[in-house]
Amino acid sequence: MKLFLSLSLLLSMTLYKAQEHLSSFNAVTLTYKFHPKFFIYAEGQLRGNEDYTYPDYYEIKGGLGYNLTKNHKPFVGLGRYVNYKDHSLSREEFRVWLQDVIDFKKGIVKFENRFRVEKSWFYEPQIDKTSQRMRYRYRLNVSVPLNAKTIKKGTVFANAYDEIFLVSPMKPTFARNRVYGGFGYQIDEYFGILTGYLWQREFEAKGNKNLHFIYLALNINIDGTDHHVKTYDFPGAD
């Protein structure tokens, strides 16, 4: 635990000195396995995109997943996403998505491939405008335990991923690239915490934009079909 906190503090201090502007990315996730094949996933997020200390974005989402095999987990979800500008609500979004996660291990290293198709409906109350969007996402996520062969109670692990975003009918089609690197600590069989640096590149028609996030998350995994959680899934920044 001391090692995890020391690494987190060092990362935060380095980023603070290196970047002129930092944003905050905070999340709480819950995965509840209520059947040998089915699980429920829920997540809440709070971000400070323009100001690290002032949240101007939040989202609440969840859905139902199915363990097709040990390493193959299709999922369907929906959520509400809200943006603020100058302390006023600027955009609301309702989103539904289909997702497929396929993972495999090579030694102690876990590779996760996530494919997602999203349909979004937007409303901008300040200008009374509605719009729609299709988005396609792919993420390669890699995690490795640092002080054990598997992730269990007391394990410190490293985690990194790269995700690309394609949209329609907006332009440019290649809309976003998101890269994350950080560390996690498995507190016990239910609770895990993560922290790291997330770089997000927005490819906008009027010019590119970079966002630099300090990521902090609490992940809760509950297996209602057994007395112990046997596997740990750590969803990256979403």
Side-chain angles (χ1 to χ4, degrees):
M1 184 64 177
K2 291 181 179 179
L3 174 61
F4 172 76
L5 293 175
S6 298
L7 291 171
S8 301
L9 179 61
L10 178 61
L11 178 65
S12 299
M13 293 175 62
T14 302
L15 291 171
Y16 181 78
K17 293 179 180 179
Q19 304 293 340
E20 294 182 359
H21 173 71
L22 286 175
S23 302
S24 58
F25 197 124
N26 307 289
V28 176
T29 73
L30 171 65
T31 303
Y32 176 58
K33 185 179 179 182
F34 64 92
H35 182 276
K37 287 291 187 179
F38 291 93
F39 63 92
I40 294 173
Y41 175 78
E43 180 175 347
Q45 283 188 23
L46 194 63
R47 303 183 201 172
N49 292 320
E50 301 297 331
D51 186 341
Y52 183 89
T53 60
Y54 184 83
D56 53 15
Y57 171 91
Y58 77 84
E59 64 181 60
I60 301 174
K61 61 178 183 282
L64 179 67
Y66 179 72
N67 294 300
L68 188 61
T69 68
K70 180 181 178 181
N71 306 105
H72 189 185
K73 305 177 183 70
F75 183 88
V76 58
L78 55 85
R80 183 174 187 264
Y81 309 75
V82 180
N83 288 270
Y84 290 84
K85 187 71 172 179
D86 299 325
H87 299 192
S88 298
L89 195 154
S90 62
R91 189 175 73 167
E92 296 178 286
E93 174 188 356
F94 176 72
R95 183 190 305 173
V96 297
W97 74 88
L98 295 175
Q99 174 179 296
D100 201 5
V101 173
I102 302 172
D103 59 57
F104 65 93
K105 293 188 71 174
K106 184 69 173 179
I108 63 172
V109 183
K110 181 179 179 181
F111 299 87
E112 177 197 78
N113 297 279
R114 190 182 78 177
F115 306 87
R116 181 181 289 183
V117 178
E118 302 172 340
K119 175 67 174 182
S120 295
W121 293 265
F122 300 99
Y123 176 61
E124 299 174 65
Q126 296 180 6
I127 57 176
D128 194 27
K129 177 183 176 182
T130 60
S131 59
Q132 299 182 24
R133 179 190 69 193
M134 290 293 299
R135 188 162 71 175
Y136 310 90
R137 301 165 59 170
Y138 168 71
R139 185 182 78 186
L140 175 61
N141 185 40
V142 181
S143 59
V144 55
L146 301 179
N147 61 340
K149 292 185 178 180
T150 60
I151 297 178
K152 56 187 178 181
K153 180 181 178 180
T155 302
V156 177
F157 59 93
N159 179 226
Y161 73 79
D162 189 5
E163 185 172 21
I164 61 172
F165 299 71
L166 306 175
V167 300
S168 176
M170 293 82 158
K171 300 295 181 181
T173 302
F174 184 36
R176 175 183 294 174
N177 187 206
R178 182 182 282 174
V179 180
Y180 170 81
F183 300 93
Y185 177 72
Q186 188 62 34
I187 300 171
D188 58 22
E189 63 181 13
Y190 300 112
F191 297 95
I193 54 176
L194 297 93
T195 188
Y197 167 65
L198 188 152
W199 171 74
Q200 184 168 293
R201 178 80 162 182
E202 303 278 358
F203 299 95
E204 302 174 341
K206 58 184 179 182
N208 298 331
K209 179 181 179 181
N210 291 307
L211 290 172
H212 305 275
F213 292 99
I214 296 295
Y215 179 73
L216 182 63
L218 171 65
N219 292 336
I220 306 168
N221 287 271
I222 301 174
D223 190 343
T225 65
D226 201 347
H227 296 295
H228 300 282
V229 176
K230 292 182 170 59
T231 61
Y232 300 92
D233 294 315
F234 296 99
D238 199 10

